[in-house]
Amino acid sequence: MKRILVTGATGQIGSELVPFLRSRYGADRVIAIGHSKKPSHELQDSGPYMSLDIRNHAALDDIISHLEIGTVYHLAALLSAVAENQPLFAWDININGLLNVLESAKKHKCKLFHPSSIGAFGATTPHVDTPQETIQRPNSMYGVAKVSAELLCDYYFTRYHLDTRGVRFPGLISHKTMPGGGTTDYAVDIFYAALRKKKYTCFLRPDTRLDMMYMPDALRATVEIMEADPARLCYRNAYNISAMSFTPQELAAEISKHITGFQITYEIDPVRQAIADSWPDNMDDTPAREQWDWKSEYNLEQMTMDMLNNLANQAPKR
Ligand code: SER
């Protein structure tokens, strides 16, 4: 049976998707690649790991060819805030890296998963129940690259019949891996701060509503769309998927139910606030529900409880 390749394996999604795929399809079948030469023990000890710069097309193509890769989960990318600090570098990684993967996937007839994001929308997009098909005019480099990536996935599907599939992830929350340089990072950081110090200084305004998802739902969505019947899929760019929608104020209130005396204060980062203001409050995920039976499991209450229970073992006791 052909093998599976995960790029960006040491990143926020990759470091959890690799173990998830290994337990589902077999450890030796899932090859993890990341830019880090020192990945976590979990990643390195649980199956094959290789260090690779996604911009090195020859080396990537060699891996796909020699290891008989049949499916690629291409996660290597920069998140929104770091992309805004280094726009050309972000374009190089997020787009030229994707083009390398698309070309090799075409050549070796691989199936491809590529994650899009709420970042593929912009200020002129309807923010409430954002439709699957709507205005996409982001003004961050992260968003520009996400829209371009969606179009490229569509193009390779139509032109070359490459089996491209993707979802638009909301902000992702996880107790295992810290995000690095995203706009929705506050929704992870806040849990660590709450457990350690009972207080958190948030870089977004209290009323900034964003679409969010707990990592177990995100991992399940990734596998479910890849296992979906291709005949039912009308969209090859990316599907809206949604789970919960909240503001920093609402998340803080939920955490306060479990941590007495928790306090949130605000010091706004104008760059991330501008990005967040341009993103949807919540996406309408009807096509995903209808075409591949997507359904989220975690809401704000369940996610908060699960995050605190899991992190309590890693942080000083409350
Ligand atoms: N969570 C990402 C970020 O904040 C958006 O997809 O950059």
Side-chain angles (χ1 to χ4, degrees):
M1 212 186 298
K2 290 234 172 191
R3 295 191 178 87
I4 295 165
L5 182 72
V6 181
T7 76
T10 57
Q12 188 195 12
I13 304 173
S15 53
E16 294 201 40
L17 186 66
V18 170
F20 192 74
L21 294 176
R22 284 182 172 156
S23 66
R24 193 174 180 90
Y25 302 117
D28 290 341
R29 272 192 68 205
V30 181
I31 320 294
I33 63 175
H35 67 277
S36 170
K37 292 199 168 54
K38 282 191 188 160
S40 67
H41 287 301
E42 189 187 12
L43 205 57
Q44 208 160 21
D45 299 344
S46 64
Y49 175 86
M50 275 172 274
S51 158
L52 179 89
D53 184 330
I54 200 62
R55 293 168 298 173
N56 185 344
H57 189 201
L60 174 75
D61 198 69
D62 214 39
I63 290 173
I64 292 181
S65 157
H66 284 101
L67 297 180
E68 297 181 0
I69 302 295
T71 304
V72 182
Y73 291 81
H74 175 48
L75 308 175
L78 264 56
L79 288 179
S80 57
V82 277
E84 214 43 35
N85 278 336
Q86 305 175 77
L88 294 186
F89 181 54
W91 179 265
D92 202 18
I93 298 288
N94 294 15
I95 291 299
N96 291 333
L98 171 64
L99 278 168
N100 289 342
V101 173
L102 283 165
E103 277 300 300
S104 289
K106 179 182 85 173
K107 183 166 152 198
H108 302 290
K109 303 199 177 350
C110 303
K111 193 167 164 177
L112 174 64
F113 175 84
H114 181 263
S116 190
S117 156
I118 43 172
F121 299 112
T124 49
T125 303
H127 280 216
V128 178
D129 294 330
T130 302
Q132 172 69 33
E133 293 193 68
T134 184
I135 302 162
Q136 289 185 268
R137 296 203 63 188
N139 56 9
S140 69
M141 180 49 91
Y142 179 75
V144 170
K146 283 295 181 198
V147 175
S148 309
E150 287 193 14
L151 292 171
L152 283 169
C153 287
D154 249 352
Y155 179 79
Y156 273 73
F157 172 73
T158 314
R159 173 92 197 259
Y160 304 117
H161 309 294
L162 184 68
D163 191 351
T164 53
R165 305 177 185 207
V167 294
R168 292 181 184 133
F169 282 125
L172 296 179
I173 301 160
S174 154
H175 58 85
K176 288 196 183 142
T177 314
M178 300 294 282
T183 300
T184 56
D185 293 12
Y186 91 84
V188 179
D189 299 342
I190 193 173
F191 284 99
Y192 287 85
L195 282 164
R196 287 183 187 143
K197 300 181 283 190
K198 287 196 172 200
K199 59 181 182 192
Y200 176 64
T201 305
C202 184
F203 56 77
L204 295 181
R205 272 196 325 266
D207 61 346
T208 310
R209 183 169 296 284
L210 286 168
D211 212 346
M212 298 279 187
M213 180 174 286
Y214 198 31
M215 191 60 91
D217 273 339
L219 299 177
R220 200 168 44 75
T222 304
V223 164
E224 283 178 6
I225 191 170
M226 290 302 273
E227 292 183 353
D229 175 0
R232 291 177 67 195
L233 302 179
C234 299
Y235 296 100
R236 294 307 189 128
N237 52 336
Y239 281 86
N240 285 1
I241 55 169
S242 195
M244 63 187 97
S245 170
F246 56 76
T247 64
Q249 203 166 27
E250 288 167 357
L251 177 57
E254 193 57 38
I255 291 173
S256 299
K257 290 182 190 167
H258 304 272
I259 301 182
T260 316
F262 172 62
Q263 283 189 333
I264 186 165
T265 50
Y266 299 90
E267 264 173 39
I268 311 309
D269 168 6
V271 174
R272 285 184 283 191
Q273 185 65 55
I275 293 175
D277 286 342
S278 74
W279 286 356
D281 293 3
N282 72 301
M283 292 181 281
D284 175 11
D285 58 5
T286 308
R289 289 170 180 269
E290 288 177 353
Q291 293 170 29
W292 47 280
D293 310 315
W294 160 248
K295 195 173 185 312
S296 64
E297 282 176 3
Y298 286 86
N299 60 22
L300 173 59
E301 292 76 21
Q302 293 158 320
M303 177 275 291
T304 302
M305 206 138 47
D306 204 66
M307 279 293 283
L308 290 172
N309 285 341
N310 278 287
L311 286 179
N313 300 324
Q314 302 170 24
K317 290 270 174 263
R318 279 168 271 162

